[in-house]
Amino acid sequence: MDTEPIRFDTKIAVLLREDLEPWQRLNVTAFLVSGLGSRLPELVGEAYEDADGVPYLPMFRQPVLVFQGTKETLKAAHAKALTRALPRAVFTADLFGTGNDRDNRAAVRAVPTADLDVVGLAVHGPRNAVDKVLKGARMHP
Protein backbone atom coordinates (compact mmCIF):
# COMPACT_ATOMS: atom_id res chain seq x y z
CA MET A 1 0.00 0.00 0.00
CA ASP A 2 1.37 3.40 -0.99
CA THR A 3 1.43 5.80 1.98
CA GLU A 4 3.16 8.77 0.37
CA PRO A 5 1.05 11.95 0.18
CA ILE A 6 -0.44 12.59 -3.24
CA ARG A 7 0.76 15.80 -4.85
CA PHE A 8 -1.17 17.45 -7.64
CA ASP A 9 0.29 19.54 -10.44
CA THR A 10 -3.13 21.06 -11.04
CA LYS A 11 -5.45 23.10 -8.88
CA ILE A 12 -9.22 23.36 -8.52
CA ALA A 13 -10.21 26.77 -7.20
CA VAL A 14 -13.44 28.63 -6.56
CA LEU A 15 -13.43 32.41 -6.25
CA LEU A 16 -16.43 34.03 -4.57
CA ARG A 17 -17.34 37.68 -4.32
CA GLU A 18 -16.77 38.74 -0.72
CA ASP A 19 -20.16 40.48 -0.32
CA LEU A 20 -22.25 37.33 -0.79
CA GLU A 21 -24.49 36.08 2.01
CA PRO A 22 -23.40 32.76 3.61
CA TRP A 23 -26.21 30.79 1.89
CA GLN A 24 -25.20 32.34 -1.44
CA ARG A 25 -21.54 31.34 -0.97
CA LEU A 26 -22.51 27.73 -0.37
CA ASN A 27 -24.99 27.65 -3.24
CA VAL A 28 -22.60 29.27 -5.72
CA THR A 29 -19.73 26.96 -4.73
CA ALA A 30 -21.88 23.86 -5.20
CA PHE A 31 -23.10 24.97 -8.63
CA LEU A 32 -19.64 25.97 -9.82
CA VAL A 33 -17.84 22.76 -8.89
CA SER A 34 -20.59 20.67 -10.46
CA GLY A 35 -19.66 22.29 -13.76
CA LEU A 36 -16.01 21.29 -13.48
CA GLY A 37 -16.85 17.70 -12.58
CA SER A 38 -19.24 17.33 -15.50
CA ARG A 39 -16.69 18.44 -18.13
CA LEU A 40 -13.48 17.11 -16.61
CA PRO A 41 -14.17 13.51 -15.61
CA GLU A 42 -10.48 12.96 -14.85
CA LEU A 43 -10.95 15.17 -11.78
CA VAL A 44 -13.35 12.67 -10.26
CA GLY A 45 -11.94 9.80 -8.21
CA GLU A 46 -13.36 6.38 -7.52
CA ALA A 47 -16.63 5.68 -5.75
CA TYR A 48 -16.65 5.36 -1.96
CA GLU A 49 -17.93 2.48 0.13
CA ASP A 50 -18.29 2.21 3.89
CA ALA A 51 -17.41 -0.83 6.03
CA ASP A 52 -20.93 -2.20 5.56
CA GLY A 53 -20.63 -2.14 1.78
CA VAL A 54 -22.95 0.84 1.30
CA PRO A 55 -21.82 2.69 -1.86
CA TYR A 56 -21.41 6.47 -2.19
CA LEU A 57 -20.83 8.64 -5.22
CA PRO A 58 -17.28 9.53 -6.22
CA MET A 59 -15.95 13.01 -5.54
CA PHE A 60 -13.07 15.12 -6.80
CA ARG A 61 -9.75 13.38 -6.29
CA GLN A 62 -8.04 16.60 -5.21
CA PRO A 63 -8.95 19.44 -2.85
CA VAL A 64 -11.10 22.36 -3.93
CA LEU A 65 -9.62 25.61 -2.65
CA VAL A 66 -12.09 28.42 -2.00
CA PHE A 67 -11.07 32.07 -2.23
CA GLN A 68 -12.85 35.39 -1.97
CA GLY A 69 -12.34 38.81 -3.46
CA THR A 70 -13.92 42.08 -4.43
CA LYS A 71 -16.12 42.63 -7.44
CA GLU A 72 -13.06 43.98 -9.24
CA THR A 73 -11.01 40.90 -8.31
CA LEU A 74 -13.72 38.66 -9.79
CA LYS A 75 -13.85 40.70 -12.99
CA ALA A 76 -10.06 40.51 -13.40
CA ALA A 77 -9.96 36.78 -12.59
CA HIS A 78 -12.70 36.09 -15.12
CA ALA A 79 -10.77 37.94 -17.83
CA LYS A 80 -7.54 36.09 -16.96
CA ALA A 81 -9.27 32.70 -16.99
CA LEU A 82 -10.59 33.48 -20.47
CA THR A 83 -7.21 34.60 -21.86
CA ARG A 84 -5.54 31.50 -20.43
CA ALA A 85 -8.31 29.28 -21.83
CA LEU A 86 -8.69 27.46 -18.51
CA PRO A 87 -11.70 25.24 -17.95
CA ARG A 88 -14.09 27.43 -16.00
CA ALA A 89 -17.59 27.74 -14.61
CA VAL A 90 -19.27 31.06 -13.96
CA PHE A 91 -22.08 32.18 -11.66
CA THR A 92 -23.55 35.64 -12.17
CA ALA A 93 -25.70 37.76 -9.87
CA ASP A 94 -28.61 37.30 -12.29
CA LEU A 95 -28.77 33.60 -11.42
CA PHE A 96 -30.07 34.39 -7.93
CA GLY A 97 -33.30 35.51 -9.62
CA THR A 98 -33.88 32.41 -11.71
CA GLY A 99 -35.24 29.06 -10.64
CA ASN A 100 -34.13 26.49 -13.17
CA ASP A 101 -31.32 25.49 -15.48
CA ARG A 102 -32.93 26.80 -18.68
CA ASP A 103 -33.47 30.25 -17.18
CA ASN A 104 -29.94 30.21 -15.70
CA ARG A 105 -28.39 29.59 -19.11
CA ALA A 106 -30.62 32.23 -20.72
CA ALA A 107 -29.62 34.80 -18.07
CA VAL A 108 -25.91 34.29 -18.80
CA ARG A 109 -26.46 34.21 -22.57
CA ALA A 110 -28.28 37.58 -22.44
CA VAL A 111 -25.23 39.50 -21.18
CA PRO A 112 -22.02 40.26 -23.12
CA THR A 113 -18.88 38.76 -21.58
CA ALA A 114 -17.44 42.09 -20.42
CA ASP A 115 -20.72 43.02 -18.73
CA LEU A 116 -21.28 39.80 -16.74
CA ASP A 117 -21.79 40.51 -13.03
CA VAL A 118 -19.65 37.59 -11.89
CA VAL A 119 -20.17 36.58 -8.25
CA GLY A 120 -18.44 33.21 -8.52
CA LEU A 121 -15.85 31.57 -10.73
CA ALA A 122 -14.40 28.05 -10.67
CA VAL A 123 -11.24 27.19 -12.57
CA HIS A 124 -9.01 24.19 -13.06
CA GLY A 125 -5.57 24.03 -14.53
CA PRO A 126 -1.86 24.00 -13.83
CA ARG A 127 -1.16 25.39 -10.36
CA ASN A 128 0.82 28.41 -11.61
CA ALA A 129 -1.86 29.36 -14.17
CA VAL A 130 -4.63 29.15 -11.57
CA ASP A 131 -2.52 31.17 -9.12
CA LYS A 132 -2.16 33.92 -11.74
CA VAL A 133 -5.92 33.98 -12.30
CA LEU A 134 -6.49 34.31 -8.55
CA LYS A 135 -4.02 37.15 -8.05
CA GLY A 136 -5.47 39.60 -5.53
CA ALA A 137 -7.85 37.03 -4.00
CA ARG A 138 -7.47 35.60 -0.52
CA MET A 139 -8.42 32.30 1.02
CA HIS A 140 -12.03 32.13 2.19
CA PRO A 141 -12.16 32.30 6.01
Side-chain angles (χ1 to χ4, degrees), residues 109-127:
R109 189 180 308 113
V111 180
T113 305
D115 296 333
L116 290 171
D117 186 6
V118 178
V119 299
L121 178 71
V123 294
H124 172 260
R127 296 180 69 79

Side-chain angles (χ1 to χ4, degrees), residues 34-52:
S34 72
L36 291 178
S38 69
R39 291 295 180 160
L40 302 164
E42 67 274 14
L43 294 180
V44 179
E46 295 182 31
Y48 288 73
E49 184 177 295
D50 67 24
D52 294 322

Side-chain angles (χ1 to χ4, degrees), residues 27-28 31-32 34 90-111 116:
N27 184 268
V28 169
F31 269 96
L32 289 171
S34 72
V90 67
F91 197 103
T92 66
D94 294 332
L95 301 187
F96 291 124
T98 60
N100 63 74
D101 185 53
R102 182 183 60 240
D103 291 342
N104 286 350
R105 287 182 282 109
V108 173
R109 189 180 308 113
V111 180
L116 290 171

Side-chain angles (χ1 to χ4, degrees), residues 12-140:
I12 300 171
V14 173
L15 176 57
L16 303 170
R17 203 163 75 193
E18 64 188 4
D19 62 349
L20 295 179
E21 295 292 327
W23 73 266
Q24 292 173 316
R25 292 171 186 249
L26 295 170
N27 184 268
V28 169
T29 300
F31 269 96
L32 289 171
V33 297
S34 72
L36 291 178
S38 69
R39 291 295 180 160
L40 302 164
E42 67 274 14
L43 294 180
V44 179
E46 295 182 31
Y48 288 73
E49 184 177 295
D50 67 24
D52 294 322
V54 176
Y56 301 93
L57 294 171
M59 296 183 279
F60 287 135
R61 61 180 183 83
Q62 68 185 92
V64 176
L65 303 172
V66 182
F67 297 82
Q68 67 178 9
T70 63
K71 183 174 186 170
E72 295 75 21
T73 302
L74 265 287
K75 188 169 189 68
H78 180 241
K80 290 175 193 172
L82 293 173
T83 61
R84 287 175 170 70
L86 292 176
R88 64 208 167 267
V90 67
F91 197 103
T92 66
D94 294 332
L95 301 187
F96 291 124
T98 60
N100 63 74
D101 185 53
R102 182 183 60 240
D103 291 342
N104 286 350
R105 287 182 282 109
V108 173
R109 189 180 308 113
V111 180
T113 305
D115 296 333
L116 290 171
D117 186 6
V118 178
V119 299
L121 178 71
V123 294
H124 172 260
R127 296 180 69 79
N128 61 345
V130 172
D131 288 344
K132 288 177 183 174
V133 166
L134 297 173
K135 186 173 180 169
R138 61 193 181 285
M139 288 294 292
H140 191 280

